[in-house]
Every structure is written in structure tokens, then in C-alpha cells.
Amino acid sequence: MKILIYGAGVIGSIFAGKIAQKGYDITVLARGNRYKEIEEHGIVLQHSLTGKTDKINVKLINTLTETDLYDYIIVPVQTNQIDDILPVLAKNKSPNIVFMVNNPLGYEKWINAVGYERIMIGFPSAGGGRENGVVHYFIGKGIIKLFQSTTIGELNGKKTKRLKTLYQIFKRSGFSPSVSDKMDEWQKTHIAVVLPAAKALYDYQSNNYELSKSFKTLKNMVLATRELLAILKKNNIQITPRKLYFYYFLPAGITARIWQIVMNTKIAEYAMAKHTIAAKEELKILQEQFMMLNNISEADLRYYNLIT
């Protein structure tokens, strides 16, 4: 089983390191200083809670050619990077391309570039930050799966052989994955949840510990999430996964108290806050895409604008 991880950022490094540890044949595409770091030291992962550090050696490339063949190419990049990558993937002949990319607008562009039959969709429940070549990381498991799990699926929603194989790869590698038969709705829902949380964190300079002290901001964050989810429902987009209906079932005050506890943890720091620092441009684009998708402006949103 040959797997290429296209990109060596935080998520790509976590995927590559953890999957390689289970004996899979992993190659990482990296460039610039990151290529040199991995070439000299391997992928260095340090768990954000336990401090356990692992150094994992992987194969390394800086260019994907037309003749490089892999069983899976996993693409964990930011939305604003995907347009530069699509032409490269289009020329390559590998059969399965797993886009682990935020995308509320659908997959037509990807289909036109690489072909419907090659595309798989997913999104990670993992995060962290990189410092001096070391990736400080966290993987979403246990209670974190209430909010989000590493999720994969097919465009047509079917449970194919290749999907089951990919599920087992992630499961064996410690990602506690889920399968969705509605990845398009899953990704649209994900944006509705992420945007208010990111906005709240930005109001506190991405300091989750300071944000945890503000019940008012977190309550407005919860109400803003309800607001965005309601817009999706109004546009006949089903909230996916359905477990996120807890935003409606639980009183906003109780959900805000839960978020106060969550935000005051290293889990929030590495899984959420650090991502908002690294992905400012992507989150700006995702907000614009969500507004365009739903034919609304930021001025139309009451609670979203109250987050402060």
C-alpha cells in the first residue's frame, strides 16, 4: 500500500507520521525549508498533552510527476492552496485522490480537473502547531468526536471497497475515523460551526484561555452557530452529522458553559486556536464562500456580529 501525503504542514505531518508508524509505505511531498527539516530529522511529532515525542522517517519528494503512482494521494491543504495543486494532480494517474480540504462550494472544479471516479472526500479531526521542525499535535478522539471526528466518504455516498480500506488505514493509525454518506452537507455544516468559533478566537487574539473567561462571547458564539445552521436548513442543506443538533437541543447557556470548559484546555489550544493563527487567509475565504453560497451578507447576521 503506497500512500502519498501531498503537503507537509501540521495535518500532513500528523497523517504521514502516524500512518507510517503502522507500517504503511508513506511518501511526503514537501518543499523549501520543510523539505530540509524532514530530510535531516524525519517527521518529529510531540503530543500536546503527554509530551511524548516520536521521530518517523518517511520517503520524501518535492515534485509529483505524471508517472509517480500511489494507491492513495491524501491532500491535506488549505482552501487557498488547492487551485495550484489541481493541475499537478490532473496529470498524475494515481487512482484515488483524497481531498482533506475545507470546501463549502461543492466539487465541480475538482471533478473537472481530476475526474469524478478518482475523488474521495474527507476532513481531519486533528491539529496543532509547528515550531523549530517539531509538530505539536492533537488528534480528536473520545469526547472530541461529539464535535468532530476524522471523516471520509465518497461523492456518491456509497461504502466502496476503497473507502473501507482507507477507513481501516486511519483507524489502525489512531484517528478514530467516521464515514459519511453526505460529505458535501458535512462540509457545509462544518463551515457553519467553524466560522463563529474562529471569530470568537480572533476577538481574543487566538488565545483560547482568555476566550474561556467570557461567557458572553461564547454564548453569542453558540447563538451565531445556530444562526448559520438555520441558514443552511432554510436552503435545504441537512445538518450533518446529526449529532450537531445539540446546538439546538441544549440551551445556549449550557452549551456556552461547556465551551468554557473546552476552551480552557490544551485540546482547544492545539486543535483550534493554533489553526486560526495559521489559517487566517483560508478562514477569510471560507467566510466569503459561505456568504456567497447562501446569498447573504455579514450584515444579515445578528448573533455572528455580536461575537465580542
Side-chain angles (χ1 to χ4, degrees):
M1 182 69 65
K2 293 180 62 179
I3 301 171
L4 172 67
I5 308 297
Y6 198 113
V10 170
I11 301 300
S13 297
I14 297 169
F15 279 165
K18 302 307 286 186
I19 296 173
Q21 282 183 315
K22 291 301 178 180
Y24 292 100
D25 185 350
I26 295 294
T27 300
V28 175
L29 188 148
R31 295 191 177 94
N33 186 60
R34 187 63 180 140
Y35 184 98
K36 294 178 183 178
E37 288 177 343
I38 297 174
E39 184 178 42
E40 294 177 6
H41 306 291
I43 290 179
V44 184
L45 300 179
Q46 184 175 92
H47 197 281
S48 59
L49 300 183
T50 67
K52 184 178 184 296
T53 301
D54 296 301
K55 296 183 179 182
I56 307 104
N57 292 319
V58 295
K59 297 175 183 176
L60 198 59
I61 61 173
N62 58 18
T63 302
L64 178 65
T65 71
E66 296 181 30
T67 57
D68 293 332
L69 293 180
Y70 299 92
D71 295 291
Y72 293 92
I73 297 178
I74 299 176
V75 187
V77 301
Q78 294 183 13
T79 302
N80 47 310
Q81 298 172 318
I82 197 68
D83 284 351
D84 292 334
I85 294 172
L86 284 176
V88 179
L89 295 174
K91 293 179 181 179
N92 185 267
K93 305 303 179 184
S94 298
N96 306 306
I97 303 174
V98 189
F99 288 94
M100 309 287 278
V101 183
N102 271 311
N103 181 3
L105 296 183
Y107 311 115
E108 182 177 0
K109 182 186 291 187
W110 300 357
I111 292 169
N112 291 338
V114 307
Y116 182 95
E117 70 286 348
R118 292 206 289 162
I119 293 175
M120 302 176 74
I121 305 298
F123 203 79
S125 178
R130 194 174 76 237
E131 186 177 356
N132 298 323
V134 179
V135 175
H136 304 269
Y137 77 98
F138 176 80
I139 295 173
K141 303 178 185 179
I143 193 171
I144 299 303
K145 291 188 71 174
L146 176 65
F147 299 97
Q148 182 179 322
S149 58
T150 295
T151 307
I152 54 175
E154 295 278 11
L155 286 176
N156 60 14
K158 294 182 179 179
K159 292 185 178 180
T160 59
K161 181 178 179 180
R162 68 177 184 174
L163 180 62
K164 293 176 182 177
T165 299
L166 185 63
Y167 174 88
Q168 289 301 323
I169 291 170
F170 280 120
K171 184 177 180 180
R172 286 194 64 212
S173 303
F175 289 94
S176 191
S178 300
V179 171
S180 175
D181 59 359
K182 295 181 174 65
M183 280 303 303
D184 183 46
E185 293 180 333
W186 190 101
Q187 291 206 301
K188 289 176 169 61
T189 304
H190 176 71
I191 302 303
V193 174
V194 165
L195 289 179
K199 193 169 189 293
L201 281 162
Y202 285 140
D203 283 344
Y204 287 82
Q205 294 74 51
S206 294
N207 186 325
N208 54 290
Y209 302 105
E210 289 300 313
L211 173 57
S212 72
K213 299 174 185 178
S214 176
F215 174 79
K216 178 183 176 181
T217 301
L218 289 169
K219 185 175 180 180
N220 283 332
M221 184 189 87
V222 171
L223 293 171
T225 305
R226 285 186 184 178
E227 187 173 46
L228 298 189
L229 293 175
I231 290 170
L232 292 181
K233 289 176 67 179
K234 183 179 179 180
N235 289 324
N236 298 315
I237 298 168
Q238 181 177 315
I239 306 307
T240 307
R242 293 187 64 81
K243 63 188 177 184
L244 290 177
Y245 274 100
F246 77 80
Y247 275 104
Y248 293 104
F249 296 149
L250 288 178
I254 292 176
T255 308
R257 292 297 184 196
I258 294 171
W259 271 113
Q260 281 192 287
I261 296 170
V262 172
M263 283 294 179
N264 194 33
T265 65
K266 281 195 172 183
I267 294 173
E269 178 184 354
Y270 284 91
M272 300 174 65
K274 288 186 180 295
H275 177 69
T276 63
I277 296 171
K280 285 186 177 180
E281 182 63 27
E282 181 187 34
L283 286 162
K284 178 181 177 182
I285 291 171
L286 291 173
Q287 176 176 289
E288 293 170 354
Q289 290 179 342
F290 186 91
M291 302 302 174
M292 181 175 66
L293 169 71
N294 294 286
N295 193 29
I296 58 173
S297 69
E298 192 171 346
D300 297 322
L301 302 175
R302 178 186 176 189
Y303 291 108
Y304 192 72
N305 291 319
L306 286 177
I307 295 174
T308 181

